[in-house]
Amino acid sequence: METTNFVYNLIPNETIAIIVISVIPLIFLIVYALLAILGELKISAWIQERLGPMRTGPWGILQPIAEVVKLIQKEDLTPDSANKPLFNLAPYIIFMGAYASFAVIPFSRYFVPSGINIGLFYIFAVGSIAVIGIVMGGWASNNKYSLLGAMRSVAQIISYEIPGAMAILSVAVLASSLDLEKINIAQEGGIWNWFIFGGQGSWSKIWVFPFTLVLSLIYLVASLAETNRTPFDIPEGESELVAGYHTEYSGMKFAMFFFAEYANMFVVAAVLTITFFGGWNSPFGNFMQGPGWDVFWFISKAFFFVILQIWLRWTLPRLRVDQLMYVGWKVLLPFSFICFLFISLFKMIN
Amino acid sequence: MTINEIYEQLKEEYGDSIIELIENPPCDSSIIVKAESIFDICHTLRDKPGFEFDYLMCLSGLDLGENLSAVYHLYSMKHSHKVVLKTIVPKDNPKIPSVEKIWRTADWHEREAYDLIGIIFEGHHNLIRILCPYDWEGYPLRKDYKEPEYYHEMKVPY
Amino acid sequence: MGEKKRIELDYSKIESDRMRLNVGPQHPSTHGVLRLEVELDGEIVTEVVPHIGYLHRCFEKHAEKMTYPQVIPYIDRMDYVTSMNNELPYVMAIEKMLGIEVPEKVQYIRVIMCELNRIASHQIAVATFGLDAGAFTPFLYFFRDREYILAIFEKASGARLLFNYFWIGGLAADVHPTFKEDVLAIVKQVRKTNKEIEDLLIYNKIFIERTANVGILPPDVAINYACSGPVLRGSGVKFDLRKNEPYSIYDRFDFDIPVGMGEVGTVGDCWDRNIVRMREMEQSCRIIEQAIEQMPNEGDVQEKLPKKIKPPKGDIYMRAENPKGDLGFYIVSNGTDKPERVKARGTSFVNLSVLPEISKGYMFADLILILGSIDIVLGEVDR
């Protein structure tokens, strides 16, 4: 089936259509961030046998809005000794990196903001922009904790991008494409055709299943590291670095860091969904399959992985920086290479 | 080993440096020693077989009015016996050899005694104030201590 | 996973800029207002200088101006999470000087209260240690349980933290009628939670990686620094005042002294100090159960005392096993109703002094864990 963007059909004027297309993910992102913050608050509360916020609105569901209002009201401090242009720019660059990824994330076969044919590559490329923002923020704060956090963050994100990229590359091999739409379409026809089970094909693909499973786990771990979530929240490791690279930020600028973190969580969850878990496809073949259902399946799968990240955060302790490097370079990287090699061989033989 | 036996043995070895044994039940008995030889006595107490006081429980400074005093409570993990040593030094020249090299724990105890009582422990590697600010004046636990009016232009009595 | 050995660098060959980092007095992991001046070579700690005194409240000076019973509330404020245990050596010292025997029932209530408070203190220690390692959830599990213990204290003494419950010659008040049942219910709950925490945190792979082989304190160094409590026992030294020098009525109970055995790393590492606390909670539960069984129901809770307590002239040093180690009071009496001098040998004060010794050569994140494993309360360090 040929994919199109329904907005172009609705709005004849191309300029307005483009603006609308780029705003829709932003609106989604804001709504999602509020939901994710609420989820973080409530899930952590349930894990810890608390009630969580209960005062704002019924069962505290308006709490995220209250938090946003609080952050907007707060004084926007810039330290005296900070490098002001870089300090002020950093949060926006980090957010930009996260938001730019939404340009290629296909929510449905009728809504792909930008259907470029190197979508996977693009996500990895713009995802790295966040590193620049983190270094800028950490260095410009003129705070030793921020600097340590930024240094750790760069080391961490760079080392974890490689195993993550290897995992994703194997999907590109299986799908023979970097285009996220094509990857989605290649997984049509029920749960059995998802790339975690080797994609479409004959029974011989069972050989590939262990490798794709390992790769999906590797990507999950790497994505946790890339979004600086526990057990890899070393750059902002609260107990040693106070708040890491965003120690000196307050008010809206801090909110941007916060927002970017949640946006990044969604991006990695979306990539995981698209590459291994069928993207917009229904797990039941043609049942519940269609443009409308696409959005439902895609968002629910992505939310599942977001919730998984939240769940892990409230369960696990934090690794140390050298152990993190050890896991990245000596465990994940060799395994991802081996799996990638096997999947490539399998693809060649088939 | 009881404190009397320890006293006898120390008296034999150090003679005049060991001044007297004070027994005052139900309170603790203590041995009063001369300040100059406290390091040697402590060294013997730690290393000589039979004593082996490897654990310095507490080191306290005391203001006795005219004099200052340092009190050492020693314990032996091996023999489970205790001894209390006391030294008395005049207030105008309160110098006692440091036992920090014998028990590392004495480091902070001696700094505290210096900080609050004003006993100067000779041979301590870093005898600076510990509980009060580094530039505080006077020794607060002395009986004749008068708190300063101002500290860094802040009024002290409130 | 990770380097198993202490990271040692030959600094004569490597030239790099060191960074001096000021940790505290306001920092999430210094457990109060401790300031550490840390010299870092990259991430590796080369020097630690603790600066204390930010919470100095002149306890010893105040004590000289108070009568003997008036000192007790100040003692509560030293180590404010183990107030019951703090009061015990002080009141025992005065009672010994006065030569009075406290009633049997009082002894049992004191032991039960002390052991409950030991559990509460160890819960905070393990909880905050987990927090230092980045695990937030066990922290709240422990705090939930601690609430039940505090509720008992509240019923007995009227206060939740600073009790002023042990008085010279007895107790401030008798316990409530359902005391025994309440305590037994808590013991049950403590055991249940400890099992949960062991699964969730203590034997967690990441937690073991973080804490095993970190901050190794050899037993001879521990003794030389006069460390005590779980810090000493974590290094494998089987020393507990309750057994080695039984005070109060501890000789009537059957319990073990858990020591660090280096199960997952080296003897005396952070994990060992932590597991000693976990196991001590179980031993405290055993003591409480035995004490509840033996405790007489009837009896007076206050010995007859003169209106003005005037211990004879002399000095006494009394120590007792606090959750954090041995807490000693050196009390000099001049025969009046006010002490000449009350010197507290703060457990945390002594235990903290070993930090610079055992944290060199580890990573900065380890320093925080080592500090957490020593389990200090700044109220007692600074007094």
Side-chain angles (χ1 to χ4, degrees), chain B residues 62-116:
Chain B
L62 276 182
D63 184 3
L64 305 174
E66 292 295 301
N67 299 314
L68 299 178
S69 162
V71 187
Y72 301 76
H73 292 85
L74 310 181
Y75 181 73
S76 166
M77 291 289 229
K78 194 174 172 190
H79 306 294
S80 302
H81 55 203
K82 292 182 195 172
V83 70
V84 184
L85 298 183
K86 280 184 188 171
T87 56
I88 294 169
V89 283
K91 215 170 204 174
D92 46 3
N93 186 26
K95 284 187 178 151
I96 297 176
S98 166
V99 295
E100 179 222 9
K101 289 194 179 66
I102 301 173
W103 300 286
R104 297 280 297 150
T105 182
D107 180 357
W108 281 23
H109 281 305
E110 284 179 354
R111 275 174 70 187
E112 191 191 322
Y114 163 73
D115 186 1
L116 301 178

Side-chain angles (χ1 to χ4, degrees), chain B residues 8-38:
Chain B
E8 293 303 322
Q9 288 200 20
L10 282 179
K11 189 84 186 166
E12 228 168 76
E13 194 162 338
Y14 286 97
D16 282 351
S17 296
I18 312 294
I19 298 168
E20 60 173 327
L21 171 73
I22 296 177
E23 282 177 295
N24 181 23
C27 300
D28 291 342
S29 308
S30 51
I31 300 170
I32 296 187
V33 298
K34 272 191 180 157
E36 305 88 73
S37 48
I38 187 79

